[in-house]
């Protein structure tokens, strides 16, 4: 091994891998990061006079050059100099057979360019202080791994640059709650003890270690027992990732590992998991612990080990699972209330007077035909089942439930802010400054193209600042495409809804022509069921398309940083998926049956088909069916089957592809047991939390936006989330490569989206109750039109009369089965009767009901908004105990600094006084040695070899 590179002549050492697969070959240095790449070796052709043994020796020598030793070609980063030195090395090395110069094919030239970029990049990593171990490329093609280790000097330097908070020697006591709160907390802890995961907790929850941004000058402040374990694996990998992101190569002006992966110089870059998550060995690691106590369906009833999740995956992923856990817990009370509301509807169904009147055959309400010519008059009592089912969801309790859910959403967001602040305190995220992000590779490429273009067409007096960044004029084509395509995609979603409407209208008309009596009697059920299924399939397909389109649209905008890219992607994806998921539900809730017309003057589409109207019981029941099927379908198919199936298929495909490559050229010395970097390479790469958040946000919309029509939505959401938590956990632990740890103090733009949905839900539920349900017409009838203050006569009050002789020619029913001659038929609307001077115009009752509906919307909205603001004001964003602890921590930190500096000063002064008695030499040298001596004694024995080496690093 020369400079941590494995040469071809020592390939036998490959079998001597570290037992754990997490260390270098010496089993001492940790593998902090892994770079993987595909290579394809070009076999050189030899002159005919070469000996038979020459090819073998030649292949070894070529492998040594390509893998890089300490040759001159690696010492200089310039690409041309590397090529020149490489050729000179080939000529100068003894024993190397003569090679024939051959012309490279385009594929070989590209591979050679990538190889040179890798060599330069790895050389720059060595100059940055990292240590590298690399496998020999001893096959014609395959996958090779570059393993990276960060020594203490690099870790301490980067930790100081990144201002990473590390634990000091000081611990202080956390003030506990007193009185009744303490007693309630103790009772709760005892009750929930069986639900706690069996993971190692902090030694004492009453004490907290004081943390402070790492500083090498104040090294004596930190509790450093072992240099190898002071920085945990997540922190080490984060530090190495930062170095990889900022290390550049001059070839193609590649800035960091992101650009190299985008240019296929490397295939992947990832930190290693902490070993196997299941197996025969008894070695317990954090990954196995997470799998046993969190990532299995068998532990669905347990709380999540949030601190361990944060330690292993980082703060950003830890906050996601904390948010998901809180959301799932909050669904429990809303589910209970939703079940109570539903049971109230079941209990009161027998005492509901309007549904009784509708089911009473003695009333004999003869209704107007549902379609022209082929539909007969029908009796309202035939819709008895629909009316009774509508009462389950259309009853006074749903108004209460809508108010409850609006306040529930506000309390959930307030509680999340409090939990977020609590986690920020315990995870040392308070005062976290936003780090300066590195530009994205695509941004740098675009900027480079602009600079090259400006270099050719502009003068020297051009503005340099304009060259250093992309202006709005550079992005204008991307913005224009974004606007146009988003508008087109929204119209596509509306077109899909319109297509389903046309399907319902035409299918209903076609089935009405059927000679089968059963088919004709079940037209409405058949059409509704098939249309909802078609709608669900369209929603699922468009969801996948919209996700890809949103990503492409964000890429052509060329955002500068990953954070900007993620925020813009989230906004586009949410807008498109929101429209796609809720367009059909909005149609049923607010538009269906509003533009039907009346008998004798119906509204037609395509000249022969009447616009569809609501069922006799109202559109609320159909809205409930539409909402439930789309919600459950998305949860079952998209959130669960897709999440389980697609990653497994991708993993299987990649594994088969790699195995097929390996079979073509097997190597006899290959290690039998795959190492951890091999196992992790097979796993699916982590692509971000956007899909996970998105499906939960869309579900949050289903739970809050139309909850007045479907009180059981929280129940189904709760059942889904119990599975979703473990499904996501299993995916992160077993199916994904270990993500890079990212420090975040909040969930970012997702909170704003949640808050927006919560406010929108108040308005939508107000309109659902006022417009879609019969709540307002019933109230108006009972208190304004009923003679005895009861609901008797409500159905007759809501039905208008129509003179059948005024039906248009050709639209009268053929072969009517009604025995008596029908003079008048009824239809649901508030219109003047035929005998009125203003026949078929809207009646006074219509305008009175409309006024009451608008008044209810205004009253409901303002009442709920006021209560939400009141709840927001009553619940402080920062818990009182946490606020006090943050103040206390600042005080303790100052006292700790003063005490340490005072002790340090006393030691220096005492040593100087002692030194003066022994020596009378130069004062300056004595002070320097005294400072060095006192500094050494502040450090624990065995932690460092000498302070002078640390001083050199500083």
């Amino acid at each position: 091994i020369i400079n941590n590179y494995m040469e071809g002549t020592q390939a036998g050492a490959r079998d001597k891998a570290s037992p754990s697969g997490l260390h270098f070959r010496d089993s001492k240095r940790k593998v902090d990061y892994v770079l993987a790449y595909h290579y394809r070796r070009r076999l050189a052709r030899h002159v005919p006079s070469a000996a038979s043994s020459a090819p073998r020796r030649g292949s070894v020598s070529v492998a040594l050059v390509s893998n890089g030793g300490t040759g001159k070609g690696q010492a200089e980063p310039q690409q041309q100099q590397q090529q020149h030195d490489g050729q000179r090395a080939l000529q100068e090395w003894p024993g190397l057979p003569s090679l024939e110069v051959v012309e490279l094919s385009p594929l070989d030239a590209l591979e050679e360019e990538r190889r040179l970029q890798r060599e330069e990049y790895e050389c720059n990593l060595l100059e940055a202080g990292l240590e590298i171990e690399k496998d020999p490329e001893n096959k014609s093609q395959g996958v090779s791994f570059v393993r990276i280790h960060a020594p203490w000097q690099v870790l301490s330097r980067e930790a100081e640059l990144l201002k990473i908070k590390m634990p000091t020697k000081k611990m202080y006591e956390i003030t506990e709650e007193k009185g009744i709160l303490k007693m309630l907390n103790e009772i709760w802890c005892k009750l929930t003890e069986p639900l706690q995961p069996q993971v190692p907790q902090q030694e004492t929850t009453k004490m907290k270690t004081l943390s402070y941004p790492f500083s090498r000058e104040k090294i004596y402040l930190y509790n450093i027992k072992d240099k190898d374990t002071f920085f945990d694996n997540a922190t080490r990998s984060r530090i190495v990732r930062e170095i990889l992101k900022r290390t550049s190569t001059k070839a193609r002006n590649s800035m960091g590992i992101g650009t190299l992966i985008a240019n296929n110089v490397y295939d992947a870059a990832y930190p290693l998991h902490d070993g196997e998550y299941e197996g025969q060995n008894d070695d317990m690691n954090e990954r196995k612990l997470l799998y046993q106590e969190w990532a299995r369906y068998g532990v669905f009833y347990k709380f999540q080990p949030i601190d361990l999740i944060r330690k292993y995956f980082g703060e950003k992923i830890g906050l996601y699972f904390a948010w998901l856990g809180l959301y799932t817990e909050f669904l429990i009370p809303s589910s209970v209330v939703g079940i109570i509301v539903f049971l109230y509807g079941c209990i009161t169904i027998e005492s509901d007077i309007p549904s009784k009147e509708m089911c009473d055959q003695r009333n004999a309400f003869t209704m107007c035909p549902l379609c022209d010519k082929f539909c007969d008059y029908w009796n309202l009592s035939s819709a008895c089942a629909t009316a009774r089912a509508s009462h389950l969801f259309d009853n006074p309790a749903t108004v209460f439930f809508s108010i409850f859910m609006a306040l529930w959403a506000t309390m959930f967001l307030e509680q999340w802010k409090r939990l977020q602040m609590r986690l920020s305190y315990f995870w040392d995220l308070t005062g976290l400054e936003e780090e300066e992000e590195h530009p994205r590779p695509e941004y740098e490429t675009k900027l480079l193209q602009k600079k090259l273009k400006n270099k050719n067409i502009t003068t020297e007096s051009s503005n340099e600042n304009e060259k250093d960044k992309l202006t709005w004029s550079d992005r204008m084509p991307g913005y224009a495409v974004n606007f146009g395509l988003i508008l087109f995609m929204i119209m596509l979603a509306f077109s899909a809804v319109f297509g389903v409407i046309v399907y319902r209208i035409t299918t209903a008309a076609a089935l009405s022509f059927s000679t089968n009596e059963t088919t004709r009697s079940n037209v409405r059920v058949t059409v509704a069921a098939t249309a909802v299924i078609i709608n669900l399939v369209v929603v699922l397909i468009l969801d996948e398309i919209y996700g890809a389109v949103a990503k492409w649209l964000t890429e052509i905008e060329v955002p500068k940083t990953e954070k900007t890219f993620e925020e813009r992607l989230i906004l586009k994806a949410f807008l498109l998926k929101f429209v796609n998921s809720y367009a059909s539900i909005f149609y049923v809730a607010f538009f269906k049956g509003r533009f039907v017309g009346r008998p004798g003057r119906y509204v037609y589409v395509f000249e022969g088909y009447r616009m569809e109207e609501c069922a006799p019981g109202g559109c609320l029941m159909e809205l409930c069916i539409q909402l439930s099927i789309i919600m459950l379908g998305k949860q079952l198919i998209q959130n669960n089957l897709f999440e389980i199936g697609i990653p497994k298929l991708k993993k299987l495909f990649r594994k088969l592809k790699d195995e097929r490559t390996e079979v073509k050229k097997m190597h006899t010395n290959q290690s039998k047991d795959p190492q951890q970097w091999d196992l992790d390479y097979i796993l699916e790469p982590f692509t971000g939390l956007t899909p996970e958040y998105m499906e939960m946000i869309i579900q949050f919309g289903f739970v809050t936006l139309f909850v007045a029509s479907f009180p059981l939505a929280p129940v189904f959401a709760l059942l889904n989330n119990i599975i979703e938590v473990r499904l996501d956990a299993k995916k992160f632990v077993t199916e994904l490569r270990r993500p890079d740890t990212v420090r975040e103090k909040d969930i970012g733009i997702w909170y704003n989206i949640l808050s927006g949905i919560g406010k929108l839900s108040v308005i939508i539920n107000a309109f659902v109750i006022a417009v879609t349900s019969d709540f307002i017409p019933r109230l108006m009838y009972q208190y304004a039109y009923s003679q005895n203050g009861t609901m008797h006569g409500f159905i007759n009050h809501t039905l208008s009369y129509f003179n059948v002789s005024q039906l248009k020619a050709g639209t009268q029913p053929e072969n009517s089965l009604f025995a008596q001659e029908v003079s008048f038929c009824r239809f649901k609307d508030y219109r003047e009767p035929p005998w009125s001077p203003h026949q078929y115009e809207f009646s006074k009752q219509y305008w009175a009901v409309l006024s009451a509906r608008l008044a209810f919307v205004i009253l409901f909205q303002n009442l709920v908004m006021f209560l939400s603001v009141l709840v927001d004001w009553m619940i402080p964003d920062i818990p009182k105990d946490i606020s006090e602890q943050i103040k206390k921590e600042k005080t303790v930190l100052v006292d700790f600094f003063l005490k340490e500096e005072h002790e340090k000063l006393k030691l220096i002064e005492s040593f100087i006084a002692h030194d003066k008695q022994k020596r009378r030499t130069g004062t300056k040298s004595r002070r320097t040695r005294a400072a060095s001596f006192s500094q050494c004694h502040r450090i624990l024995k065995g932690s460092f070899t000498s302070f002078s080496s640390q001083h050199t690093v500083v």
Side-chain angles (χ1 to χ4, degrees):
I1 300 177
I2 300 177
N3 259 15
N4 303 305
Y5 279 74
M6 187 75 71
E7 291 191 4
T9 54
Q10 294 180 341
R14 195 175 194 278
D15 291 329
K16 300 176 183 178
S18 63
S20 65
L22 301 173
H23 294 80
F24 276 14
R25 305 293 176 189
D26 57 11
S27 298
K28 294 179 181 178
R29 291 174 291 176
K30 283 183 179 179
V31 177
D32 296 319
Y33 223 85
V34 173
L35 306 179
Y37 64 90
H38 273 88
Y39 67 87
R40 177 179 174 273
R41 286 179 58 191
R42 174 175 56 83
L43 297 176
R45 292 189 289 117
H46 300 269
V47 292
S49 59
S52 59
S53 61
R56 180 176 298 178
R57 292 184 311 163
S59 64
V60 171
S61 300
V62 171
L64 186 138
V65 174
S66 67
N67 284 328
T70 54
K72 297 177 183 178
Q74 285 191 331
E76 302 180 25
Q78 288 81 0
Q79 183 175 343
Q80 294 178 353
Q81 188 67 36
Q82 278 186 330
Q83 293 174 345
H84 174 72
D85 289 343
Q87 291 172 358
R88 187 172 63 191
L90 284 172
Q91 294 171 1
E92 292 176 356
W93 284 345
L96 188 70
S98 57
L99 298 175
E100 182 182 352
V101 178
V102 295
E103 186 178 352
L104 295 179
S105 67
L107 193 64
D108 287 334
L110 181 62
E111 181 61 35
E112 182 71 10
E113 183 183 357
R114 289 174 179 170
R115 183 185 66 79
L116 291 172
Q117 283 192 64
R118 285 195 292 267
E119 287 183 358
E120 182 188 352
Y121 185 69
E122 289 157 17
C123 180
N124 292 341
L125 292 180
L126 289 172
E127 290 178 1
L130 297 176
E131 298 177 3
I132 291 177
E133 182 179 78
K134 190 174 180 182
D135 289 333
E137 298 174 4
N138 48 23
K139 293 181 287 187
S140 60
Q141 63 178 1
V143 180
S144 187
F145 298 95
V146 178
R147 296 175 288 281
I148 300 172
H149 169 77
W152 169 260
Q153 290 83 356
V154 175
L155 292 172
S156 56
R157 179 190 72 209
E158 296 298 321
E160 184 171 350
L161 289 173
L162 295 173
K163 299 179 181 178
I164 297 176
K165 284 189 175 182
M166 298 304 296
T168 63
K169 299 173 183 175
K170 179 67 176 177
M171 294 185 75
Y172 67 95
E173 187 177 0
I174 299 174
T175 307
E176 289 187 331
E177 295 173 338
K178 297 179 180 179
I180 190 169
L181 289 176
K182 181 180 180 182
M183 185 179 68
L184 291 174
N185 188 40
E186 290 176 353
I187 294 171
W188 173 252
C189 290
K190 288 181 180 178
L191 291 174
T192 58
E193 191 173 352
L195 306 180
Q196 298 293 340
Q198 301 300 314
V199 296
Q201 300 288 339
Q202 194 177 353
E203 293 180 3
T204 170
T205 55
K206 296 180 181 180
M207 302 294 291
K208 184 179 185 295
T209 304
L210 186 67
S211 296
Y212 185 73
F214 189 80
S215 172
R216 289 172 293 179
E217 291 181 358
K218 297 181 175 63
I219 197 79
Y220 55 88
L221 296 176
Y222 303 98
N223 187 20
I224 305 176
K225 296 178 180 177
D226 186 355
K227 289 188 297 182
D228 294 333
T229 58
F230 179 64
F231 295 103
D232 60 16
N233 292 345
T235 306
R236 296 173 71 98
S237 65
R238 178 190 168 203
I239 288 172
V240 174
R241 179 73 181 189
E242 287 297 321
I243 298 174
L244 294 176
K245 283 162 71 174
R246 70 166 184 258
T247 303
S248 61
T249 60
K250 292 196 174 181
R252 286 195 177 186
N253 291 284
S254 297
M255 293 293 292
I257 189 64
T259 313
L260 294 173
I261 291 176
N263 294 334
N264 295 319
V265 177
Y266 290 100
D267 286 344
Y270 52 91
L272 292 180
H273 277 295
D274 287 359
E276 298 265 5
Y277 63 89
E278 58 182 357
Q280 302 299 325
N281 57 340
D282 295 330
D283 296 335
M284 182 58 70
N285 56 62
E286 289 181 350
R287 188 188 187 193
K288 183 181 286 188
L289 191 60
L290 282 170
Y291 178 73
Q292 291 179 356
E293 295 296 326
W294 178 54
R296 292 186 302 114
Y297 295 113
V299 293
F300 73 92
Y301 59 92
K302 289 188 176 183
F303 292 123
Q304 299 184 88
I306 293 296
D307 289 328
L308 185 59
I309 296 168
R310 169 252 178 177
K311 182 183 177 185
Y312 192 80
F313 292 111
E315 284 78 7
K316 189 173 184 178
I317 294 174
L319 282 173
Y320 163 70
F321 281 104
W323 175 85
L324 182 58
L326 182 69
Y327 172 47
T328 306
E329 289 174 15
F330 258 72
L331 284 172
I332 295 173
S334 61
S335 300
V336 172
V337 177
I339 292 172
I340 293 172
V341 170
F342 179 73
L343 292 176
Y344 171 81
C346 295
I347 293 168
T348 58
I349 193 169
E350 295 299 331
S351 59
D352 183 48
I353 296 173
S355 58
K356 276 185 178 181
E357 287 185 351
M358 192 178 288
C359 294
D360 191 356
Q361 295 185 0
R362 293 173 297 178
N363 288 329
F365 295 114
T366 304
M367 306 298 290
C368 296
L370 296 173
C371 65
D372 295 341
K373 197 173 181 179
F374 295 99
C375 294
D376 197 1
Y377 303 105
W378 56 287
N379 202 316
L380 186 60
S381 60
S382 62
C384 176
T386 309
R388 290 171 66 87
S390 296
H391 179 73
L392 297 177
F393 305 101
D394 189 0
N395 57 67
T398 56
V399 180
F400 158 76
F401 190 56
S402 299
I403 298 173
F404 170 81
M405 287 304 294
L407 298 178
W408 171 88
T410 304
M411 290 188 68
F412 164 63
L413 293 176
E414 286 301 309
Q415 189 61 29
W416 167 245
K417 283 194 286 188
R418 290 170 62 83
L419 176 60
Q420 193 170 252
M421 198 64 212
R422 190 174 293 276
L423 292 176
S424 295
Y425 166 69
F426 283 105
W427 292 354
D428 297 318
L429 299 175
T430 51
L432 180 67
E433 299 176 2
E434 288 193 7
E435 299 170 6
E436 184 180 353
E437 288 194 75
H438 300 280
R440 298 176 62 249
E442 293 82 1
Y443 179 86
E444 289 175 334
T445 305
K446 187 85 173 175
L447 192 61
L448 178 63
Q449 292 171 356
K450 179 185 177 181
K451 287 180 179 178
L452 293 174
K453 185 179 177 182
N454 289 343
K455 193 175 182 181
N456 296 330
I457 65 173
T458 61
T459 61
E460 292 182 1
S461 61
S462 62
N463 189 0
E464 291 295 326
N465 292 331
E466 293 295 318
K467 290 183 180 181
D468 295 338
K469 63 180 181 179
L470 296 181
T471 60
W472 67 269
S473 57
D474 299 317
R475 290 194 170 98
M476 185 52 70
Y479 290 151
V481 173
N482 266 264
F483 179 78
L485 200 52
I486 287 175
L487 199 61
F488 171 76
M489 287 294 164
I490 292 174
M491 295 306 297
L492 180 64
F494 290 151
S495 302
V497 174
F498 183 72
V500 175
I501 294 169
V502 172
Y503 163 80
R504 277 203 291 254
I505 294 171
T506 54
T507 308
L511 292 176
S512 300
F513 300 158
S514 175
T515 55
N516 191 332
E517 179 63 29
T518 308
T519 304
R520 283 205 308 272
S521 61
N522 294 317
V523 167
R524 193 182 291 274
V525 177
T526 306
V527 170
T530 54
V532 170
I533 293 171
I534 291 171
N535 198 46
L536 173 63
V537 173
V538 170
V539 166
L540 293 176
I541 293 172
L542 286 181
D543 243 12
E544 300 302 317
I545 295 172
Y546 284 173
V549 168
K551 187 176 181 181
W552 181 73
L553 287 175
T554 311
E555 286 172 350
I556 64 174
E557 273 189 37
V558 199
K560 184 175 182 180
T561 62
E562 284 295 337
K563 185 175 182 180
T564 312
F565 178 87
E566 187 179 22
E567 287 182 352
R568 294 185 182 181
L569 173 62
I570 288 167
L571 285 175
K572 290 183 184 64
F574 174 73
L575 174 63
L576 293 174
K577 293 192 176 188
F578 181 88
V579 172
N580 181 43
S581 298
Y582 298 112
S584 60
I585 299 171
F586 269 92
Y587 164 73
V588 174
F590 303 122
F591 298 101
K592 185 177 180 181
R594 312 291 168 197
F595 311 102
V596 178
R598 61 169 177 81
R601 194 179 290 175
Y602 284 113
V603 178
Y604 290 88
V605 289
F606 305 120
E607 297 183 355
Y609 300 102
R610 270 165 45 180
M611 280 294 290
E612 58 180 348
E613 50 188 305
C614 293
C619 276
L620 197 71
M621 188 63 199
E622 190 168 342
L623 175 62
C624 172
I625 294 170
Q626 185 93 3
L627 182 69
S628 60
I629 290 181
I630 292 178
M631 178 183 175
L632 296 177
K634 278 178 69 68
Q635 287 185 169
L636 181 65
I637 298 172
Q638 192 175 45
N639 297 1
N640 293 329
L641 293 182
F642 282 9
E643 276 196 41
I644 296 171
I646 291 178
K648 286 187 179 296
L649 289 175
K650 285 183 178 179
K651 181 181 176 182
L652 181 64
F653 175 76
R654 187 162 51 250
K655 191 174 181 180
L656 291 173
K657 182 181 176 182
D658 290 340
E659 285 178 355
R660 190 163 58 247
T661 306
E662 296 293 330
V663 168
K664 289 181 181 178
K665 194 75 178 177
M666 288 291 290
H667 191 260
T668 54
N669 292 331
Q670 184 158 353
S671 176
K672 294 181 181 179
D673 296 327
Q675 296 296 307
Q676 190 61 47
W677 47 85
D678 297 308
L679 297 172
D680 286 4
Y681 180 71
I682 299 171
L683 300 177
E684 188 74 11
F686 174 68
T687 55
L689 287 170
T690 302
E692 316 301 334
Y693 272 115
M694 187 65 71
E695 65 186 59
M696 288 295 104
I697 297 294
I698 295 294
Q699 185 205 81
F700 183 78
F702 282 120
V703 169
T704 55
L705 290 179
F706 294 93
V707 75
S709 64
F710 189 40
L712 294 179
V715 179
F716 291 108
L718 174 63
L719 295 175
N720 173 80
N721 285 11
I722 290 172
I723 300 171
E724 181 71 24
V725 171
R726 306 303 161 179
L727 179 65
D728 284 349
K730 190 173 183 181
K731 184 169 68 173
F732 273 88
V733 173
T734 66
E735 295 173 5
L736 295 179
R737 292 176 192 157
R738 188 171 184 172
D740 294 303
T741 57
V742 180
R743 287 177 72 82
E744 292 282 357
K745 57 183 179 182
D746 53 37
I747 59 174
I749 197 171
W750 294 112
Y751 180 84
N752 299 330
I753 293 175
L754 283 167
S755 182
I757 291 176
K759 291 178 173 61
L760 183 63
S761 68
V762 177
I763 302 169
I764 290 178
N765 280 307
F767 276 99
V768 167
I769 295 167
V771 177
T772 313
S773 75
D774 280 339
F775 178 72
I776 300 299
R778 291 187 182 197
L779 278 182
M780 284 294 294
Y781 177 77
Q782 186 172 358
Y783 295 107
Y785 298 107
S786 176
Q787 295 178 355
N788 53 8
T790 63
M791 292 301 295
H792 290 287
F794 172 73
I795 297 298
N796 185 56
H797 177 75
T798 58
L799 298 177
S800 299
Y801 287 90
F802 180 76
N803 191 341
V804 297
S805 63
Q806 295 177 352
L807 286 171
K808 288 184 179 179
T811 62
Q812 297 93 343
E814 292 182 350
N815 305 319
S816 178
L817 299 177
F818 273 65
Q820 74 277 19
E821 187 70 25
V822 177
S823 301
F824 297 98
C825 65
R826 310 292 296 271
F827 63 99
K828 189 172 184 179
D829 208 345
Y830 291 101
R831 289 184 183 267
E832 295 289 346
W835 52 85
S836 170
H838 308 287
Q839 60 177 2
Y840 307 130
E841 291 184 5
F842 288 118
S843 63
K844 292 180 181 178
Q845 289 89 337
Y846 171 82
W847 299 111
V849 169
L850 181 61
S851 302
R853 282 174 164 164
L854 295 177
F856 174 82
V857 169
I858 296 170
L859 180 65
F860 182 89
Q861 178 183 335
N862 284 282
L863 174 64
V864 175
M865 287 292 187
F866 170 74
L867 292 175
S868 299
V869 171
L870 186 64
V871 169
D872 190 358
W873 175 74
M874 290 176 64
I875 303 176
D877 293 347
I878 304 176
K880 187 178 179 181
D881 60 323
I882 296 299
S883 179
E884 292 175 355
Q885 293 299 335
I886 292 173
K887 293 176 183 176
K888 181 179 178 181
E889 188 175 65
K890 291 179 181 178
T891 307
V892 170
L893 184 65
V894 172
D895 293 343
F896 178 57
F897 272 8
L898 292 174
K899 183 180 177 182
E900 290 292 329
E901 291 296 327
H902 184 65
E903 290 182 2
K904 179 182 174 184
L905 186 62
K906 284 174 64 177
L907 281 171
I908 293 173
E909 289 175 349
S910 64
F911 182 77
I912 290 174
H914 181 70
D915 196 36
K916 280 181 179 179
Q917 295 176 0
K918 293 182 65 176
R919 297 183 183 182
R920 300 294 180 182
T921 56
T923 306
K924 187 175 180 181
S925 62
R926 284 201 306 273
R927 285 181 179 175
T928 304
R929 286 195 302 272
S932 176
F933 177 79
S934 61
Q935 186 77 344
C936 282
H937 277 262
R938 291 303 306 157
I939 300 168
L940 292 174
K941 291 183 179 180
S943 296
F944 306 101
T945 53
S946 69
F947 179 73
S948 60
S949 64
Q950 286 297 312
H951 188 69
T952 305
V953 173
V954 175

